[in-house]
């Protein structure tokens, strides 16, 4: 209903005023009755019938036809809006119905449903171009100069501090599968400041499973020798607050054994030594099942863009890619959705923050095959993927390692927009795209609309605190209030 009203607000709303008033009273009654999934489905069907019956009383046949055209693509999405506003039971699994544009195209549909853990839909912010404090290096001034319209899809707002970021969309499917298989614990792996591990740990506790995290850290040996502590910085604080059992390995051990063997090893240990029934989740939650989270995310985006305006189009979609699962969902989703609608898709840019472009092309191809992609022509899956996305090398001096230019960009973007980017994923990706890709050929991006899909990770900023501290004095001065007239100095504000 919210989506419907938003859509009508961009049309000739005055002609529908009696209709909206009548439908509003029916909607309130229906939603009060909708406490469970099957009741919500019933409410959605009754709501459709109400729209039609009331519209017959108040509108002309021509208006009714136009109204139906708006209503048809929104009916199943209205249910998602209702659920997003309703009471959530984290461990309750619901049947999953893929978007219409994915039916017959992606045949390996999740069979164990989906949990409702995330706060969806996440908002889309249009970034203004009024620069305040950016100076000659202003990001927003450059966007204004090129007349670039920048949207931010705020997947950093999918949950609170525990769940926020892109990983929770994947975990809704992965943990539904774990519960269906009767698992009582979860094992996953990532870097020391892994956003994925933090979200997995919190979500596991929410659904009644114990979290076991394998963290890759250069401090593994010193922690083992008790000369260093695991600590409580950034994501690790939240890992430990929910009682995660943490296993450490060095980057060298991770490289030699690989993430799959390490996860399988801890699962075997829990199964045979601790008598638990663990569920293995790969690095980043990036497998064929997890990638459905961003098939769902693309469907959400498509509905949001339609609600803004039927004429609203995106020229470019940009996001960070680390393990490839989010990329697979977005790339396949945008390509298939636009093909279904008979429209040209936006150019899709995946900015790799680790590994090489070939790694991501291969990973997305493998995941697409695993999701059962069905192509109409003789095009191979790899050709389809390479036509659907441009992968950029954006890791800079290495994964989770920040250059001065990247940190300056992150701080300046926060100063100008109020939006925090993380130094490992979103900050690297947007920095590389705007400062390298766009500036390499600025005229190609003039007058274009760009959506940056913010994948979260703000807790990773804590790990860069010392590096950022030297920059704070210029942008965030601290002054002493001189209450009694006894203080002197440039940093004193005299109120006496």
């Amino acid at each position: 209903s919210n989506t419907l009203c938003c859509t009508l607000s961009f049309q000739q709303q005055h002609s529908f005023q009696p209709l909206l008033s009548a439908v509003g009273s029916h909607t309130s009654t229906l939603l009060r009755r909708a406490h469970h999934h099957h009741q919500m489905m019933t409410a959605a069907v009754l709501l459709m019938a109400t729209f039609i019956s009331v519209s017959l009383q108040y509108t002309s046949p021509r208006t009714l036809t136009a109204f139906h055209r708006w209503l048809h693509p929104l009916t199943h999405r209205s249910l998602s809006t209702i659920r997003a506003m309703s009471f959530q039971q984290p461990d309750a699994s619901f049947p999953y119905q893929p978007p219409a544009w994915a039916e017959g195209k992606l045949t390996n549909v999740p069979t164990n449903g989906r949990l409702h853990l995330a706060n969806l839909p996440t908002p889309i912010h249009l970034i203004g171009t009024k620069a305040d404090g950016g100076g000659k290096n202003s990001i927003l001034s450059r966007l204004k100069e090129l007349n670039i319209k920048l949207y931010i899809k705020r997947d950093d707002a999918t949950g609170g501090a525990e769940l926020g970021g892109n990983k929770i969309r994947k975990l809704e499917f992965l943990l539904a599968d774990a519960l269906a298989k009767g698992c009582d614990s979860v094992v996953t792996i990532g870097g020391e400041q892994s956003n994925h591990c933090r979200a997995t740990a919190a979500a596991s506790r929410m659904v009644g499973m114990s979290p076991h995290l394998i963290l890759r850290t250069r401090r593994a040996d010193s922690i083992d020798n008790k000369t260093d502590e695991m600590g409580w910085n950034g994501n690790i604080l939240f890992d430990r607050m929910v009682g995660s059992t943490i296993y450490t390995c060095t980057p060298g051990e991770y490289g030699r054994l690989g993430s799959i063997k390490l996860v399988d090893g801890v699962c075997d240990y829990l199964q045979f030594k601790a008598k638990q029934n663990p569920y293995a989740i790969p690095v980043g939650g990036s497998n064929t099942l997890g990638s459905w989270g961003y098939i769902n995310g693309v469907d959400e985006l498509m509905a949001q863009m339609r609600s803004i305006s039927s004429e609203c189009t995106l020229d470019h979609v940009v996001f960070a890619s680390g393990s490839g699962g989010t990329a697979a969902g977005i790339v396949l989703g945008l390509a298939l959705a636009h093909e279904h609608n008979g429209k040209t898709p936006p150019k899709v840019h995946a900015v790799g923050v680790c590994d090489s472009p070939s790694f991501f092309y291969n990973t997305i191809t493998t995941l697409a095959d695993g999701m059962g992609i069905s192509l109409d022509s003789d095009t191979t899956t790899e050709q389809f993927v390479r036509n659907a996305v441009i992968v950029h090398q954006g890791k800079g001096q290495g994964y989770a390692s920040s250059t001065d230019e990247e940190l300056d960009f992150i701080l300046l973007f926060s100063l100008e927009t109020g939006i925090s980017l993380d130094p490992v994923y979103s900050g690297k990706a947007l920095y590389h795209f705007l400062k390298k890709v766009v500036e390499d050929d600025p005229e190609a991006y003039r007058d274009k609309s760009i959506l940056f899909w913010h994948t979260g990770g703000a807790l990773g900023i804590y790990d860069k605190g010392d590096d950022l501290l030297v920059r704070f004095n210029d942008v965030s001065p601290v002054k002493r209030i001189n209450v009694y007239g006894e203080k002197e100095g440039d940093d004193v504000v005299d109120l006496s």
Side-chain angles (χ1 to χ4, degrees):
S1 59
N2 281 356
T3 307
L4 174 67
C5 292
C6 183
T7 303
L8 293 179
S9 69
F10 286 90
Q11 310 295 335
Q12 297 177 356
Q13 187 172 357
H14 64 275
S15 64
F16 290 106
Q17 202 59 49
L19 173 63
L20 291 175
S21 177
V23 170
S25 63
H26 285 271
T27 303
S28 299
T29 302
L30 292 171
L31 292 182
R32 280 197 300 269
R33 298 173 182 170
H35 300 299
H36 302 289
H37 179 68
H38 69 277
Q39 291 175 324
M40 290 177 187
M41 291 293 292
T42 303
V45 173
L46 291 174
L47 192 56
M48 289 170 59
T50 302
F51 286 147
I52 295 172
S53 63
V54 177
S55 65
L56 285 171
Q57 299 175 43
Y58 289 105
T59 63
S60 66
R62 180 179 177 183
T63 304
L64 177 58
T65 300
F67 181 69
H68 176 72
R69 284 202 302 268
W70 291 325
L71 177 62
H72 180 70
L74 298 172
T75 51
H76 84 274
R77 294 180 182 86
S78 65
L79 180 60
S80 297
T81 304
I82 293 169
R83 279 205 298 264
M85 296 186 295
S86 66
F87 170 79
Q88 292 183 351
Q89 183 180 343
D91 62 351
S93 182
F94 298 92
Y96 177 65
Q97 179 66 36
W101 47 260
E103 292 181 358
K105 292 293 186 177
L106 298 174
T107 59
N108 190 11
V109 179
T111 57
N112 286 325
R114 170 193 166 200
L115 305 180
H116 293 153
L117 301 173
N119 298 327
L120 302 177
T122 56
I124 297 175
H125 288 177
L126 174 60
I127 303 303
T129 54
K130 181 181 178 182
D132 181 16
K136 65 179 181 179
N137 296 318
S138 170
I139 300 167
L140 299 188
S141 293
R142 182 57 171 157
L143 294 178
K144 184 176 182 179
E145 182 182 336
L146 293 173
N147 196 32
I148 290 175
K149 187 177 289 187
L150 179 64
Y151 296 93
I152 307 286
K153 172 71 168 159
R154 299 295 303 273
D155 268 20
D156 55 324
T158 52
E162 312 93 342
L163 301 179
N166 61 323
K167 308 304 182 183
I168 195 61
R169 288 189 188 267
K170 305 176 189 180
L171 289 167
E172 289 191 330
F173 290 89
L174 293 166
L175 293 182
D177 190 52
L179 289 172
K181 293 176 178 177
C183 296
D184 55 15
S185 55
V186 171
V187 180
T188 195
I189 189 168
E192 183 173 347
Q193 285 293 330
S194 170
N195 302 304
H196 162 69
C197 286
R198 177 256 306 155
T200 300
S204 297
R205 285 297 186 196
M206 286 182 179
V207 301
M209 291 189 282
S210 60
H212 297 260
L213 311 178
I214 306 170
L215 300 184
R216 181 185 66 247
T217 171
R218 298 184 187 280
R219 301 189 298 124
D221 289 331
S222 59
I223 292 170
D224 182 54
N225 295 330
K226 309 302 182 185
T227 58
D228 196 359
E229 295 290 338
M230 193 72 230
W232 52 81
N233 187 28
N235 283 302
I236 292 175
L237 173 63
F238 288 87
D239 295 342
R240 304 191 77 177
M241 283 186 69
V242 297
S244 303
T245 300
I246 297 175
Y247 310 79
T248 63
C249 68
T250 66
E253 292 165 343
Y254 181 97
R256 286 191 296 274
L257 293 178
S259 62
I260 296 175
K261 193 168 184 178
L262 286 166
V263 169
D264 288 345
V266 173
C267 284
D268 289 343
Y269 166 80
L270 292 174
Q271 185 175 359
F272 297 109
K273 298 291 182 64
K275 305 303 180 185
Q276 295 185 26
N277 184 17
Y279 184 84
I281 295 180
V283 61
S286 293
N287 59 13
T288 55
L289 182 58
S291 295
W292 278 94
Y294 271 88
I295 295 296
N296 212 51
V298 167
D299 198 43
E300 175 182 301
L301 172 65
M302 299 288 287
Q304 286 176 305
M305 297 310 293
R306 278 194 299 270
S307 74
I308 295 172
S309 168
S310 60
E311 302 301 320
C312 184
T313 59
L314 296 172
D315 300 301
H316 301 271
V317 173
V318 185
F319 52 89
S321 187
S323 54
T326 296
I330 294 176
V331 170
L332 298 178
L334 287 172
L336 295 176
H338 284 80
E339 179 184 275
H340 178 82
N341 295 333
K343 296 183 178 180
T344 302
K347 291 184 178 179
V348 180
H349 304 262
V351 181
V353 300
C354 57
D355 294 300
S356 64
S358 61
F359 167 83
F360 291 107
Y361 284 123
N362 293 337
T363 299
I364 297 170
T365 298
T366 300
L367 291 173
D369 285 332
M371 296 171 78
I373 191 167
S374 175
L375 302 174
D376 295 332
S377 64
D378 294 332
T379 303
T380 66
T381 305
E382 182 177 359
Q383 290 171 333
F384 180 85
V385 168
R386 286 182 177 270
N387 289 334
V389 62
I390 303 169
V391 180
H392 303 277
Q393 176 58 275
K395 66 180 180 181
Q397 63 185 21
Y399 177 76
S401 181
S402 301
T403 64
D404 287 339
E405 292 79 10
E406 289 168 354
L407 292 176
D408 288 341
F409 177 88
I410 290 170
L411 187 57
L412 182 57
F413 193 80
S414 296
L415 181 65
E416 293 195 291
T417 68
I419 297 174
S420 295
L421 303 173
D422 82 292
V424 181
Y425 295 96
S426 58
K428 270 184 181 286
L430 191 57
Y431 165 80
H432 183 85
F433 186 77
L434 292 182
K435 294 297 185 179
K436 305 294 183 180
V437 178
V438 171
E439 292 301 337
D440 187 53
D441 187 8
E443 290 306 313
Y445 296 90
R446 184 179 293 278
D447 303 324
K448 302 300 183 183
S449 295
I450 299 172
L451 181 133
F452 179 68
W453 208 313
H454 192 327
T455 51
L459 289 174
I461 295 176
Y462 284 92
D463 198 44
K464 304 294 182 182
D466 291 340
D467 296 321
L468 290 170
L469 184 61
V470 298
R471 295 165 168 82
F472 285 157
N473 288 336
D474 293 333
V475 300
S476 180
V478 178
K479 298 182 180 293
R480 176 70 162 91
I481 296 178
N482 188 15
V483 178
Y484 302 110
E486 300 172 350
K487 307 289 184 182
E488 295 182 357
D490 294 336
D491 295 330
V492 172
V493 176
D494 193 350
L495 301 183
S496 62

